[in-house]
Amino acid sequence: MNIAWLIIITFLVVALQSYLYSKWGLEKVFYNRSFSEKAVVEGETIEMVDEIVNKKLLPLPWLRLESKISEHLEFRTEAKSDHNIDHGGFHRSLFSLMPYQRVRRRQILTCRKRGHYRFETVELSTGDVFGFGETFKSVPSVAEITVYPKLIPVEDIPLPSHSWLGDLVVRRWIIEDPFMMAGTRDYVSGDPLHNVHWKATARMNRLQVIKKDYTADHHLMIYVNFNQTGDIWYPVADEELIEKSLSYAASIAHYSITNGISTGFGCNSYIGENKKETINIEPRNSKQHLTYLFETMAKVAVDSNKSIEFFLQEDIERQVSGIDFLIITAIVTDTMKQRIKTLESFGNAVELLVLESEEVKKRQKVI
């Protein structure tokens, strides 16, 4: 065979395989992305799983996966040649698949910031062995992860007074209700004999008495004020302060609900594109409710849609009473003080947790 025929055959082989990969390269290629957890707390790690399957005879010498990933989901810094992230937040992974092969790749992410992260599609691309052609396809692959605000010990939160939240917890456990049974417990010296639970005693093989529930049912509402100046149309000047406020709110809610206090949450912000609706969740006391509060705090936008004065006015118009309010705010206006006095006149207790930053102070001076 002379050199001319060798060149022609080589050209035909290259052209044929280029045609095959351009036409069928991404046929019967399936992709799925998932996370090891649906929700984590800010700062925790999570496992992201990329699974890709080639359900055909044609092997794939290379397959590139590309998707947009928030910079707040940080990949573990391990030098790998099969994936990389550029400064635009695009994550790229490289695969090689034999016929009918399934590849599952696990990567560890650190969730650096509160939020709700949703992934809709990924871009797949492949080509021939010699790199003369390339074909692309967008593949739907819905996956999401919710990152709750960071939880910190309550004793590290600069509450208005050291005993304020502790007093609220104590008030929750003041009076036993003889008609409310919360289970059984071991007998201790001084327990009256009529409280002995004989069936539980026989089952446990030690003396058991009825455990009473309590009637001092106090309610706590935690409000976060997203206004950082007197002008609500000014954008949020200090996002870190908002994140700290939500972290405080989540930590206090966790502490209070764990201690049996019905707790709610509200703020003059919104979720998603629904900018007309503020957030005001009535107090409840359950693990499911705490999860709901965490999810709401995770999804809330760093923006305000109403002044704190109008937000408090809604409670005044509803004549809310018997609530312990904790307002986490960067500013305290004269009108806000008047609203608080009105709420207190209805029989509510109102405490302020004032957080300040240099950036907010500068904005206030400009206004």
Side-chain angles (χ1 to χ4, degrees):
M1 182 184 295
N2 59 36
I3 190 68
W5 279 108
L6 182 61
I7 293 173
I8 292 172
I9 293 172
T10 301
F11 177 79
L12 289 174
V13 170
V14 170
L16 177 61
Q17 61 92 37
S18 180
Y19 172 77
L20 289 174
Y21 279 104
S22 65
K23 188 170 182 63
W24 290 290
L26 292 177
E27 288 294 316
K28 296 186 178 180
V29 173
F30 303 94
Y31 170 79
N32 181 63
R33 169 174 288 163
S34 62
F35 292 98
S36 58
E37 302 288 343
K38 292 183 178 180
V40 293
V41 176
E42 180 182 322
E44 292 183 342
T45 58
I46 192 170
E47 188 177 67
M48 184 181 78
V49 182
D50 290 323
E51 184 178 65
I52 195 157
V53 186
N54 180 28
K55 291 188 175 182
K56 62 179 182 298
L57 282 172
L58 184 67
L60 299 175
W62 64 271
L63 178 79
R64 185 169 59 242
L65 181 153
E66 184 174 1
S67 61
K68 178 77 172 178
I69 289 187
S70 171
E71 60 184 3
H72 303 306
L73 301 179
E74 184 179 285
F75 284 82
R76 178 174 289 175
T77 55
E78 295 178 352
K80 289 186 177 181
S81 59
D82 54 14
H83 78 87
N84 65 80
I85 304 173
D86 62 22
H87 294 294
F90 283 95
H91 173 247
R92 298 181 179 90
S93 291
L94 193 63
F95 297 82
S96 179
L97 293 138
M98 297 299 290
Y100 298 99
Q101 185 183 12
R102 180 190 303 269
V103 175
R104 184 181 289 111
R105 182 172 294 161
R106 303 176 186 275
Q107 299 174 79
I108 302 300
L109 301 176
T110 302
C111 303
R112 295 296 185 189
K113 189 175 182 181
R114 168 198 69 88
H116 179 71
Y117 304 94
R118 182 177 174 86
F119 306 89
E120 300 286 351
T121 61
V122 297
E123 299 293 327
L124 301 180
S125 59
T126 191
D128 61 89
V129 179
F130 302 100
F132 289 111
E134 190 170 351
T135 182
F136 305 87
K137 183 168 72 171
S138 181
V139 178
S141 181
V142 178
E144 56 186 352
I145 174 69
T146 303
V147 181
Y148 299 153
K150 184 178 181 180
L151 297 179
I152 58 178
V154 172
E155 53 268 23
D156 293 339
I157 300 175
L159 289 167
S161 74
H162 289 294
S163 62
W164 175 79
L165 193 58
D167 286 346
L168 189 59
V169 172
V170 170
R171 278 186 281 156
R172 171 67 181 87
W173 307 108
I174 291 177
I175 307 171
E176 286 190 347
D177 189 335
F179 300 103
M180 296 180 66
M181 180 177 170
T184 61
R185 59 174 175 80
D186 289 339
Y187 174 87
V188 295
S189 179
D191 285 333
L193 289 179
H194 68 267
N195 280 347
V196 174
H197 195 291
W198 298 108
K199 289 185 178 180
T201 297
R203 185 173 64 252
M204 302 293 292
N205 201 25
R206 61 179 183 271
L207 205 57
Q208 298 287 299
V209 296
I210 297 171
K211 183 180 178 181
K212 305 295 183 180
D213 209 341
Y214 301 86
T215 58
D217 193 13
H218 285 268
H219 303 287
L220 172 66
M221 280 298 297
I222 304 170
Y223 283 166
V224 174
N225 179 18
F226 278 63
N227 300 152
Q228 294 187 336
T229 68
D231 187 349
I232 67 168
W233 302 114
Y234 256 84
V236 172
D238 191 340
E239 291 191 15
E240 289 187 8
L241 198 67
I242 294 295
E243 298 300 332
K244 180 186 289 187
S245 300
L246 290 170
S247 178
Y248 284 173
S251 302
I252 294 170
H254 179 266
Y255 176 83
S256 59
I257 290 178
T258 301
N259 283 277
I261 301 171
S262 294
T263 304
F265 170 72
C267 65
N268 50 342
S269 184
Y270 54 90
I271 293 176
E273 300 299 323
N274 192 8
K275 296 185 178 183
K276 293 183 179 180
E277 293 293 329
T278 52
I279 296 166
N280 200 316
I281 302 172
E282 293 296 323
R284 296 285 188 277
N285 182 21
S286 67
K287 290 183 179 180
Q288 293 81 2
H289 182 67
L290 180 60
T291 300
Y292 178 48
L293 294 184
F294 282 171
E295 289 179 349
T296 302
M297 294 177 192
K299 296 176 182 180
V300 67
V302 184
D303 192 14
S304 64
N305 58 356
K306 183 180 293 185
S307 72
I308 188 64
E309 292 84 3
F310 279 106
F311 185 76
L312 296 176
Q313 182 63 32
E314 293 176 352
D315 285 333
I316 293 172
E317 291 174 356
R318 291 189 292 120
Q319 297 185 347
V320 172
S321 62
I323 300 292
D324 290 284
F325 287 96
L326 174 63
I327 304 174
I328 305 174
T329 181
I331 59 170
V332 182
T333 65
D334 291 338
T335 307
M336 185 177 171
K337 291 178 182 178
Q338 294 173 3
R339 299 285 193 274
I340 290 173
K341 287 182 179 179
T342 304
L343 284 172
E344 290 175 334
S345 69
F346 291 161
N348 302 293
V350 183
E351 295 284 356
L352 294 174
L353 175 51
V354 181
L355 305 178
E356 288 188 328
S357 71
E358 294 300 321
E359 187 65 30
V360 171
K361 289 178 181 178
K362 290 177 183 178
R363 285 292 184 94
Q364 287 178 322
K365 288 180 180 179
V366 171
I367 295 175

